[in-house]
Amino acid sequence: MKFVVCVEGVKEFDTRWIGWAGVNVPDEVGQRALTKALAEMRCIPVFLDEEIVNEYYNGYCNNILWPLFHYLGLPQEDRLATTRSFQTQFDAYKKANQMFADVVNKHYEDGDVVWCHDYHLMFLPRCLKEYNDKMKVGWFLHTPFPSSEIHRTLPSRSELLRSVLAADLVGFHTYDYARHFVSACTRILGIEGTPEGVEDQGKLTRVAAFPIGIDSERFIRALDLPEVQNRMKELKERFAGRKVMLGVDRLDMIKGIPQKILAFEKFLEENSHWRDKVVLLQIAVPTRTNVPEYQKLTSQVHEIVGRINGRFGTLTAVPIHHLDRSLDFHALCALYAATDVALVTSLRDGMNLVSYEFVACQASKKGVLILSEFAGAAQSLGAGAILVNPWNITEVAASIGYALDMPADEREKRHQFNFKHVTTHTSQEWAATFVSELNDTIVEAQLRTRQVPPLLPNKVAVDCYSKSNNRLIILGFNATLTEPVDGLGSGGQIKELELKVHPDLKEPLKKLSDDPKTTIVVLSGSGRAVLDKNFGEYNMWLAAENGMFLRLTSSEWMTTMPENLNMDWVDSVKHVFEYFTERTPRSHFELRETSIIWNYKYADVEFGRLQAKDLLQHLWTGPISNASLDVVQGGRSVEVRAVGVSKGAAIDRILGEIVHNKGMKEPIDYVLCIGHFLAKDEDVYKFFEPELPSESSPMARAMISNSYRPSSLPRFSASKSGSKASHYKKQRSLSNIEIDRASDRASAWRQTGRDRISLNEGSSVLDLKGDNYFSCAVARKRSSARYLLKTSHDIVSLLSDLADHSSSPST
């Protein structure tokens, strides 16, 4: 089978391998026969027709992904002349992956672990999770993963990355490849990289390095076989008096065979005394012989070998023995054991297990390994091998001389280091570690899930809405009512120039805001002008700058800011923000009336994060070191605001204004609060909760229970559920700034159009009947909200359903 999916069962030895059989079996009779034959080996074939194989395997996999992942870049037009188009190939790639998923799903049993292998199946994790999101899915890449600058040239870059992120665990041979993958996710998708992996909307995909090994015992045991001993004896006699150097590679562009041979030529040029004492055996296994580039490479290698042998050879011996074929296992083991120096000069290699096989067969001779620093094995065997840059012919030639003249004690030390690694980090250990880590990842994810709010039960929320008489809907703006767009579009240009209401929400918002039984508040950190522009046409309340400014759309703006709010710190913080805006390309800062925000959402992700850390250090040691301020960190922003400026701190005053303005005759019996709020502003969710956190201040509770209620505010009798709200009302904590003002009897707030009202005026009109409160976090799984809404589509669906159950102004 060419590439496979391993399905690890819950029972011992219950492993099934699913893969493309690599043959075209058009009729059902032949397919059934092959399936039956493979079943004895616990292998399950996937049958791909000739067209899909050409577009998927030969086209997208071998012509697009393989060169890109090995830093060869995307193919030029002449290489695509015989194929249709990139999109056609990518469509075939997705179709083939879906066919794999269909077969996996057919044979999947609860509890199985599904392990997808290599770049041929990057789309498979998403397909499998769409079948069953509880399925345990891991994905492992057996090639290098390129830097984000290389991967971003791929037209389907984002779709492939998101498909891989559907897996629970993503594995690579080396830490460098894992780091490149995380960097690609952060730079291309704009999502957060963590020490554990990649986190997207609360879902963590673990990313880790799992260096593969070999079955070392198989090679060690083979050395004792008579057949191998006889071949070793023949090689020893054949090359008596000469040092043997060995190269075993596929005849491939990335293996660096021409560079290896040219370096050997330079070594012979500079070391004439070695010309009759060393021989290079190069095994070049043919691959993709019908591809012009590979044919050209074969001719090039043959030309160089012929030139060097003609230059330095004699009638009885030549310096290079070149074979264009593979060797059987026993012959290969004998050759490894007879070799003095192994030369691996890969220009780019996922791992290169030839180096491992050589070390496993060197217990007696303790030969030297010269290894390219661009092979993944360099990170595992680097301490025992001689690392070289294969592009530096002079360096490789010098390393050959150093290896041939190396003292026995140094050869012994280097070999022991490599041998210990090869025999302990086996292929069996690699597989067991990956599966074990995948199971652990699933358990950790389940523990995190238990702390995640459940999805909002839309039907329940709508039913409660339709049965209530006085409803309050509180909506965030950014990432809640806005249309979802990537911060950076293709090419890195800025797409989201300004916040705009999602077009599908305009009609539902109009119906809801015109319902006399429904009051809508848009509670946002944005400024007044932004809210006016987006919501001025609706009949609703707008609360700008986290509720510090408030207006009914038919009235003027008023402020709910504390009268003596200290804003003397703004200029000094502004200077810091200006400095970091200058040194961070594509960042900007926004000065508001109650806060100042530095935003780096359009800057380079990693550079912006480093600058944000530096900015915070400047703030804490400078302008805000002794100030009473809150520093609020967003996903890609830093906001400085006065203590007490938060959505939760403002909501009571907002409700008081609403009650006074509408002259409510009955209590609010339904509250829906939806937002993608910063953690600091999630206190708005807790405002309506019937129970308080244990850290609530007793002093604050006493002050609320003794606070003054104007006679103009209607008094509502407490029902059973009302008494619960009343009990909460007496406990609700205040921010520090409110407590200070209450204790000083100076809780004056600037109001326009009416007298001052008490701190608990808003909460005193709540009668939520226990379950009539729905707080919803948007696209965030770790939240103090009761429920979760995943996407903007879910918000559109919910508000549309509510609008369908709303009353018109005339009814």
Side-chain angles (χ1 to χ4, degrees), residues 30-224:
Q31 292 182 5
R32 283 198 299 269
L34 181 58
T35 301
K36 184 178 180 180
L38 291 173
E40 298 178 2
M41 297 179 285
R42 302 198 64 76
C43 295
I44 303 166
V46 177
F47 296 102
L48 307 177
D49 61 47
E50 187 175 352
E51 183 178 356
I52 289 183
V53 169
N54 185 51
E55 297 288 342
Y56 158 60
Y57 182 68
N58 298 327
Y60 195 78
C61 292
N62 289 340
N63 247 14
I64 303 294
L65 291 182
W66 189 89
L68 187 78
F69 282 11
H70 288 86
Y71 289 77
L72 299 178
L74 291 175
Q76 302 302 316
E77 285 301 318
D78 58 334
R79 291 187 62 184
L80 294 174
T82 57
T83 63
R84 293 185 179 180
S85 66
F86 171 86
Q87 189 58 46
T88 304
Q89 293 180 7
F90 186 52
D91 290 342
Y93 181 86
K94 291 191 289 186
K95 183 176 180 180
N97 275 247
Q98 185 62 56
M99 293 172 72
F100 270 84
D102 293 340
V103 176
V104 172
N105 194 55
K106 181 180 178 181
H107 293 85
Y108 174 81
E109 298 174 4
D110 287 343
D112 285 351
V113 172
V114 183
W115 188 2
C116 313
H117 288 266
D118 228 0
Y119 59 92
H120 310 82
L121 301 175
M122 293 181 74
F123 211 77
L124 185 56
R126 169 187 279 185
C127 297
L128 294 175
K129 287 291 188 177
E130 287 175 352
Y131 273 125
N132 181 359
D133 62 357
K134 303 298 182 185
M135 192 181 290
K136 301 176 184 178
V137 178
W139 180 79
F140 191 89
L141 182 65
H142 291 269
T143 70
F145 192 90
S147 71
S148 59
E149 289 303 303
I150 298 293
H151 184 76
R152 73 189 307 170
T153 63
L154 185 66
S156 57
R157 58 192 187 182
S158 299
E159 198 167 359
L160 281 182
L161 288 176
R162 290 201 180 277
S163 299
V164 171
L165 288 177
D168 300 292
L169 176 63
V170 175
F172 299 91
H173 283 308
T174 72
Y175 171 73
D176 282 349
Y177 306 156
R179 178 170 54 84
H180 289 161
F181 177 79
V182 173
S183 177
C185 291
T186 56
R187 291 174 181 271
I188 296 172
L189 301 181
I191 55 182
E192 195 69 22
T194 72
E196 292 79 28
V198 178
E199 187 169 2
D200 184 16
Q201 297 184 358
K203 180 191 180 297
L204 176 66
T205 299
R206 179 129 185 262
V207 180
F210 301 91
I212 199 173
I214 62 171
D215 184 358
S216 55
E217 285 298 319
R218 179 174 178 238
F219 286 86
I220 294 171
R221 289 194 304 268
L223 297 179
D224 295 328

Side-chain angles (χ1 to χ4, degrees), residues 708-752:
Y708 167 72
R709 176 188 296 198
S711 59
S712 60
L713 189 68
R715 298 173 182 268
F716 300 116
S717 60
S719 63
K720 184 175 181 180
S721 58
S723 63
K724 194 173 184 180
S726 176
H727 174 70
Y728 160 67
K729 175 188 68 179
K730 295 180 181 180
Q731 298 186 67
R732 190 171 57 81
S733 61
L734 298 177
S735 64
N736 292 334
I737 198 168
E738 289 172 329
I739 294 171
D740 293 340
R741 292 197 178 91
S743 60
D744 295 338
R745 299 183 180 277
S747 57
W749 295 62
R750 294 198 303 273
Q751 306 289 335
T752 60

